[in-house]
Amino acid sequence: MIQFKKINALQSYLNQQRMNGKKIGFVPTMGALHAGHISLLETARKACDLLVCSIFVNPTQFNDPKDFEKYPITLDTDIKLLASANTDILFLPNVTELYPEGTAQLEKYPLDFLEQILEGEFRPGHFQGVCQVMKRLLDAVEPEKLFMGQKDYQQCMVVQRLLDITGKRIELITCPTIREPDGLAMSSRNRRLSPEAREKAIGIYKTLEYINANLKKGHLDSLLKEAHTLLEKTGFQIEYITLANAKSLEIRNEWDGSSEMVCLIAAFLDGVRLIDNMVISK
Ligand code: AMP
């Protein structure tokens, strides 16, 4: 595995590989890698000739500075995991490399309602930060295919919007959420849960399953209320439990019985903010 810290050096190498006909697949991450990240790498490995992974904890997407400070960093272990997943290139830029002009005044992207709902509502500026870093990473790597996790459902939609806005002809491949054996979605933030909280954390998945099992045509208010009660009982402080159209992410208070729906949850447990979602299967 070759490591690059500088955009120029990375680009010269990739240009050469591209001229040799290599198709580039890209998995951007913030490190503290787990089996969820590895599954993206495995999918990408099969679908491309040259596998690039980036590790960069992007300051511009953290609306809460404390969350940024506490973000886990496990670079040595990450490098070993990446090498055993047959990653060809690790891109490890620092803040100055990606934001040479600083981060105070950055461009804004027209994300419309996507940044006003759910994560956009509760984490103001978060998706602008995601777009700012993704634009820079994609300019540097210029992959054919980009692999991201369904775990961050809204983020996938935002990044697709970014690809559309910037006219980048990159195929976004959304990979399924990898879960712990008890159902908890894998996340770098899970490391911050105390053993007691870790046991309770399964509550989010249980709530998603409850909604999946009980969704019926018509008004959704009482189902969502029951789900709130269920999750609150396990000790979570809920930000949202929402049902939306799975394709457009438009929030729904009623279900027509046929359109594909997704349930999305964000909630705090023990001071750790967890998110998860489930596409409803009927
Ligand atoms: P992060 O390092 O949290 O920015 O995540 C990097 C990529 O891994 C994103 O595309 C995430 O959606 C994806 N990812 C994170 N957790 C999981 C998971 N449990 N299953 C599948 N993909 C995941």
Side-chain angles (χ1 to χ4, degrees), residues 5-76:
K5 292 192 169 162
K6 300 285 173 197
I7 296 172
N8 280 346
L10 173 73
Q11 283 178 325
S12 329
Y13 182 84
L14 292 179
N15 284 341
Q16 191 62 47
Q17 297 295 316
R18 228 175 258 116
M19 281 195 297
N20 295 338
K22 298 270 168 79
K23 302 271 178 244
I24 299 167
F26 181 38
V27 178
T29 80
M30 297 205 296
L33 302 181
H34 50 68
H37 298 112
I38 302 304
S39 79
L40 302 191
L41 292 161
E42 283 168 355
T43 307
R45 182 69 282 175
K46 289 183 205 134
C48 66
D49 307 311
L50 201 73
L51 174 53
V52 182
C53 177
S54 63
I55 296 181
F56 179 67
V57 185
N58 174 38
T60 77
Q61 74 187 66
F62 285 83
N63 52 311
D64 175 0
K66 281 195 216 107
D67 191 24
F68 177 57
E69 280 161 29
K70 285 191 217 152
Y71 203 83
I73 294 176
T74 59
L75 189 57
D76 291 342

Side-chain angles (χ1 to χ4, degrees), residues 27-37 39-40 54 56 61 71 147-153 155-156 175-179 184-189:
V27 178
T29 80
M30 297 205 296
L33 302 181
H34 50 68
H37 298 112
S39 79
L40 302 191
S54 63
F56 179 67
Q61 74 187 66
Y71 203 83
F147 298 83
M148 301 189 77
Q150 188 199 315
K151 158 84 173 27
D152 297 282
Y153 198 93
Q155 172 170 270
C156 289
C175 305
T177 303
I178 304 300
R179 299 179 178 282
L184 175 67
M186 290 196 177
S187 163
S188 308
R189 287 188 172 84

Side-chain angles (χ1 to χ4, degrees), residues 215-218 245 247 254-261 280 282:
L215 181 74
K216 289 188 186 70
K217 191 173 167 176
N245 179 291
K247 292 210 168 60
E254 261 181 75
W255 185 45
D256 60 13
S258 63
S259 50
E260 195 177 36
M261 300 284 275
I280 307 295
K282 290 280 162 191

Side-chain angles (χ1 to χ4, degrees), residues 121-139:
E121 179 185 345
F122 286 93
R123 300 186 67 188
H126 169 62
F127 285 132
Q128 288 298 332
V130 167
C131 288
Q132 286 150 0
V133 74
M134 283 304 295
K135 168 76 167 60
R136 286 160 175 77
L137 291 170
L138 294 173
D139 283 349

Side-chain angles (χ1 to χ4, degrees), residues 114-173:
L114 277 181
E115 67 173 333
Q116 285 148 22
I117 57 164
L118 307 168
E119 291 301 282
E121 179 185 345
F122 286 93
R123 300 186 67 188
H126 169 62
F127 285 132
Q128 288 298 332
V130 167
C131 288
Q132 286 150 0
V133 74
M134 283 304 295
K135 168 76 167 60
R136 286 160 175 77
L137 291 170
L138 294 173
D139 283 349
V141 179
E142 291 186 61
E144 261 79 24
K145 293 182 186 192
L146 168 65
F147 298 83
M148 301 189 77
Q150 188 199 315
K151 158 84 173 27
D152 297 282
Y153 198 93
Q154 191 175 4
Q155 172 170 270
C156 289
M157 302 197 63
V158 164
V159 170
Q160 184 58 59
R161 174 72 61 90
L162 174 73
L163 295 176
D164 297 342
I165 293 169
T166 53
K168 284 191 185 291
R169 290 171 57 196
I170 296 171
E171 185 186 353
L172 171 61
I173 294 158

